[in-house]
Amino acid sequence: MMRMTGYTKKLAILPFDHRASYISGLFGWKEPLNVEQALRVAESKRVIYEGFKKARIPKEEAGILVDEQYGVGILREAVQQGTITAVPVEKSGQDEFDFVYGDDFAHHIEAMQPTFAKALVRYNPEGDHMLNQRQTQRLKRLSDYLHQSQHLFLFELLVPAEFHQLELVDQNKDAYDSQLRPRLMVRAIEELRQAGVEPDVWKIEGLDQRADCENIVEVAHRNGGQNVGLIVLGRGASQERVIHWLQTAASVPGFIGFAVGRTSFWNAVADFEAKRLSLDAAATQIEQHFEEWNQCFEAGR
């Protein structure tokens, strides 16, 4: 039996499913890791989880997004405690969406029992047409599977600039973000939905204008998608930028929350690894950031 699509409850996610960028950026390593290195990466993710557990955010609103590879213990514990969980299904650090566990993706989702399965996808409607088509076929397969399962579909959409688009704004990435990206996001969501890709929640890059947020909600809610939720991702941006994005989106019905990762944990984990902070102090820093985003979003609402 197909279930209803959508998720309307408030959602405050702490994402730490980063793999390739996390390992190279925080440790200076490249995969494949040896056992000792893999353990250190897994232990560092525990620091983030401790920060999450300290945060004073209602249990029914707060969730974690962490990978099976380095966070399997965290996932098992969180699922047992009834925490909202999300697990990535994509290969890390590549431009084309593909399943990290290949055709075995469903088996891994069943084993982890997450609330959400998350797909991070780079999709620019003016980009490589064949690439977009290949990605869409895989995503349709995932979407169909999730609609027949008990797991929800969280779709993380990134719309990276194409060379010709940057030319239009004199290579200014901020100008691309504010002038070109919003309508490209609308087109991407339109194209994906027309191809039968139907997430329960869209996790999208922050938008500077309220009108752009309204346009995104409109296209996500069209044709039977009225219960679909949208959340804002942090993209490793500065605290000020993240706060602006959260406040802009929070006032628009349809936006139900946020998922801010690197801006929440990066410095704290780096300081913990360099022995400048104790585990508890690092976790407290992460807790404070997570609570701050939550307060901003609540205030914006």
Side-chain angles (χ1 to χ4, degrees), residues 20 22 40 43 88 104 118 124 133 136 164 192 197 208 225 247 251:
Y22 186 90
R40 256 189 73 192
E43 278 163 19
D104 216 13
K118 187 267 310 194
N124 189 314
Q133 236 176 350
T136 303
H164 72 273
L192 287 157
V197 179
D208 293 321
Q247 288 173 334
S251 66

Side-chain angles (χ1 to χ4, degrees), residues 6-19:
Y7 192 88
T8 53
K9 292 176 280 200
K10 161 93 182 294
L11 198 52
I13 292 183
L14 183 57
F16 51 109
D17 62 320
H18 312 73
R19 284 151 286 164

Side-chain angles (χ1 to χ4, degrees), residues 11-15 65 154-158 181 185 201-208 213 216-217 229-237 241-252 254-261 263-264 290 293 297:
L11 198 52
I13 292 183
L14 183 57
L65 165 56
L154 174 61
F155 192 113
E156 180 172 352
L157 173 67
L158 300 180
R181 179 163 60 76
M185 289 165 77
V201 175
W202 291 93
K203 179 182 176 207
I204 61 159
E205 296 170 276
L207 294 160
D208 293 321
C213 292
I216 289 282
V217 170
L230 294 97
I231 61 176
V232 179
L233 60 89
R235 216 172 67 170
R241 197 94 199 260
V242 168
I243 289 168
H244 172 65
W245 287 336
L246 292 180
Q247 288 173 334
T248 306
S251 66
V252 178
F255 275 90
I256 59 171
F258 58 90
V260 179
T263 317
S264 307
F290 191 37
W293 316 137
F297 191 82

Side-chain angles (χ1 to χ4, degrees), residues 38-206:
L39 277 171
R40 256 189 73 192
V41 171
E43 278 163 19
S44 74
K45 292 201 172 206
R46 276 262 159 207
V47 179
I48 305 170
Y49 183 49
E50 290 306 318
F52 169 81
K53 287 195 291 188
K54 280 173 174 274
R56 291 175 294 272
I57 297 173
K59 187 174 179 163
E60 64 278 6
E61 297 177 358
I64 57 168
L65 165 56
V66 65
D67 53 293
E68 181 185 339
Q69 192 175 0
Y70 300 109
V72 65
I74 293 171
L75 280 165
R76 293 223 164 102
E77 186 181 316
V79 168
Q80 266 180 336
Q81 290 174 354
T83 302
I84 295 167
T85 55
V87 176
V89 299
E90 80 279 348
K91 277 183 189 166
S92 179
Q94 59 175 45
D95 290 337
E96 179 170 344
F97 170 81
D98 205 352
F99 294 105
V100 62
Y101 297 111
D103 289 338
D104 216 13
F105 70 88
H107 174 74
H108 282 264
I109 293 169
E110 296 310 324
M112 292 297 107
Q113 285 300 311
T115 319
F116 291 93
K118 187 267 310 194
L120 179 149
V121 183
R122 293 169 178 83
Y123 186 108
N124 189 314
E126 293 178 1
D128 180 336
H129 178 66
M130 295 308 288
L131 167 82
N132 284 347
Q133 236 176 350
R134 286 195 304 273
Q135 297 196 109
T136 303
Q137 280 165 352
R138 293 178 193 128
L139 291 159
K140 167 84 164 78
R141 199 178 150 196
L142 176 65
S143 182
D144 289 349
Y145 157 72
L146 290 170
H147 281 284
Q148 288 172 2
S149 80
Q150 289 314 300
H151 313 287
L152 298 165
F153 186 7
L154 174 61
F155 192 113
E156 180 172 352
L157 173 67
L158 300 180
V159 184
E162 290 290 320
F163 180 75
H164 72 273
Q165 292 163 343
L166 281 175
E167 294 276 270
L168 295 173
V169 287
D170 297 326
Q171 307 298 323
N172 182 333
K173 288 204 164 134
D174 286 339
Y176 166 78
D177 271 340
S178 57
Q179 294 164 34
L180 302 183
R181 179 163 60 76
R183 59 178 184 77
L184 291 167
M185 289 165 77
V186 167
R187 277 180 56 197
I189 291 174
E190 243 167 5
E191 287 179 15
L192 287 157
R193 288 197 63 204
Q194 276 165 0
V197 179
E198 294 286 3
D200 296 283
V201 175
W202 291 93
K203 179 182 176 207
I204 61 159
E205 296 170 276

